């Protein structure tokens, strides 16, 4: 009897009431250190801190002013409650709840965003933005930051089941004449894969911002040399999302990616990668 009562209490706590409370979380971004993995701090807007246990706090007035919702803290347990609420409320209804509370649920203005496909909320503008420009316009990440003065300038857009980006790599990134360094190609996969995983988790849980992810592992296969100053196409597809209710466990997303050389109407496969990207448990812009 006691086990039954506790199970019901947990179910209610993670259910409908959790949606409204979770919509009041607030932060501008996360800067992290330590932990079992590593990732580019350039992807994280400054002004708030992840404490390594899933709790967040805003540490500057500038971050508070820039936050798109009321400033406060968010814990990993609250984040799990929000995700679990999708068991009790249809995802389309959650997007509508967020919109009514003032969130811009589709800042990239994509017609493939679930707020459009599931809730019928039309984009506010006809101009589609990359996920980097929509969610982290001030990021200085070398691979994908819109505010970076130098780097790869990756811009990823929604496609069914993943993301697609076009990019040209400067010859200064060549390891040998006419051959781009393999580490630079891996950098493209790293950024693009993390964005794919974060967007997938955001969509699944009906969150206003993508969660923080890091690269857990990635295997890259180079099939052909990558040329400089040529149009390249990078596509990703979500393979699976793995979640667990076990204490301390983190959701992971497996992503497959391919890099092509665009030759008129033909695409030549240059490299492929499979990565597993892990959610850290904190709601934030990447």
């Amino acid at each position: 009897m006691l086990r039954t009562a506790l199970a019901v209490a947990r179910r209610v706590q993670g259910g409908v009431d959790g949606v409204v409370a979770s919509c009041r979380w607030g932060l501008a971004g996360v800067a992290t250190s330590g932990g079992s993995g590593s990732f580019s701090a350039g992807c994280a807007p400054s002004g708030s801190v992840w404490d390594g246990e899933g709790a967040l706090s805003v540490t500057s007035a500038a971050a508070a002013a820039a936050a798109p919702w009321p400033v406060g803290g968010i814990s990993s347990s609250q984040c799990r409650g929000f995700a679990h609420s999708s068991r009790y409320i249809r995802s389309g209804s959650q997007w509508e709840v967020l919109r009514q509370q003032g969130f811009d649920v589709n800042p990239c203005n994509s017609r493939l965003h679930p707020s459009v496909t599931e809730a019928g909320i039309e984009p506010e503008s006809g101009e589609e933005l990359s996920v980097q420009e929509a969610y982290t316009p001030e990021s200085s990440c070398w691979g994908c930051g819109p505010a970076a003065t130098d780097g790869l300038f990756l811009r990823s857009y929604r496609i069914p089941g993943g993301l697609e980006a076009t990019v040209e790599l400067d010859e200064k990134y060549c390891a040998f004449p006419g051959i781009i360094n393999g580490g630079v190609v891996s950098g493209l996969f790293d950024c693009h894969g993390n964005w794919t995983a974060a967007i997938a988790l955001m969509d699944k849980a009906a969150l206003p911002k993508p969660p923080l992810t890091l690269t857990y592992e990635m295997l890259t296969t180079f099939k052909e040399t990558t040329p400089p100053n040529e149009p390249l196409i990078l596509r990703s597809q979500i393979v699976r999302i793995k979640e667990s209710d076990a204490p301390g466990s983190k959701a992971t997303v497996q992503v497959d990616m391919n890099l092509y050389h665009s030759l008129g109407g033909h695409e030549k496969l240059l490299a492929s990668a499979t990565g597993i990207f892990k959610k850290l448990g904190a709601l934030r812009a990447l």
Side-chain angles (χ1 to χ4, degrees):
M1 182 68 73
L2 178 58
R3 288 196 186 98
T4 302
L6 288 172
V8 171
R10 291 193 187 99
R11 186 173 182 182
V12 172
Q13 183 178 6
V16 176
D17 293 339
V19 177
V20 176
S22 62
C23 290
R24 304 184 186 280
W25 300 336
L27 58 138
V30 182
T32 73
S33 61
S36 58
S38 63
F39 56 94
S40 171
C43 289
S46 61
S48 55
V49 175
W50 177 63
D51 68 1
E53 300 294 334
L56 298 166
S57 60
V58 175
T59 59
S60 73
W69 45 66
V71 170
I74 171 176
S75 67
S76 56
S77 62
Q78 287 173 309
C79 195
R80 287 195 296 270
F82 198 133
H84 289 177
S85 67
S86 61
R87 301 175 185 174
Y88 303 93
I89 296 182
R90 293 171 52 195
S91 180
S93 299
Q94 292 186 59
W95 294 115
E96 182 59 32
V97 167
L98 290 173
R99 187 185 70 83
Q100 291 179 1
Q101 292 201 353
F103 291 99
D104 185 357
V105 295
N106 184 10
C108 53
N109 299 316
S110 172
R111 301 200 66 82
L112 295 176
H113 191 286
S115 65
V116 179
T117 60
E118 297 175 8
I121 302 172
E122 289 296 311
E124 294 185 1
S125 170
E127 179 184 2
E128 184 175 356
L129 299 177
S130 68
V131 292
Q132 291 89 355
E133 294 167 308
Y135 292 106
T136 58
E138 297 181 359
S139 170
S140 59
C141 174
W142 181 81
C144 62
T149 57
D150 190 21
L152 304 182
F153 304 109
L154 183 70
R155 300 290 181 268
S156 309
Y157 296 83
R158 286 179 179 266
I159 59 173
L163 298 176
E164 179 178 287
T166 57
V167 65
E168 290 190 15
L169 299 175
D170 193 276
E171 62 184 8
K172 68 183 178 181
Y173 299 124
C174 286
F176 303 98
I179 302 176
I180 293 293
N181 183 283
V184 173
V185 174
S186 294
L188 287 175
F189 284 137
D190 187 48
C191 282
H192 194 73
N194 265 293
W195 273 106
T196 303
I199 294 296
L201 291 169
M202 178 187 74
D203 289 354
K204 187 174 187 296
L207 301 173
K209 295 273 189 178
L212 174 63
T213 62
L214 58 80
T215 304
Y216 181 72
E217 65 180 40
M218 188 170 69
L219 174 64
T220 302
T221 303
F222 299 94
K223 301 179 181 297
E224 299 284 348
T225 59
T226 299
N229 302 319
E230 291 286 338
L232 306 175
I233 299 174
L234 179 55
R235 278 193 206 99
S236 62
Q237 286 289 302
I238 302 158
V239 177
R240 67 171 181 167
I241 300 175
K242 184 179 179 181
E243 296 180 299
S244 173
D245 290 335
S249 65
K250 306 295 185 182
T252 59
V253 183
Q254 182 179 344
V255 180
D256 283 350
M257 294 168 281
N258 290 313
L259 179 68
Y260 300 92
H261 183 193
S262 180
L263 300 168
H266 175 68
E267 295 178 357
K268 180 181 179 181
L269 180 62
L270 302 178
S272 61
T274 295
I276 296 178
F277 304 90
K278 180 182 291 188
K279 178 183 176 181
L280 290 188
L283 177 67
R284 76 167 183 91
L286 279 170

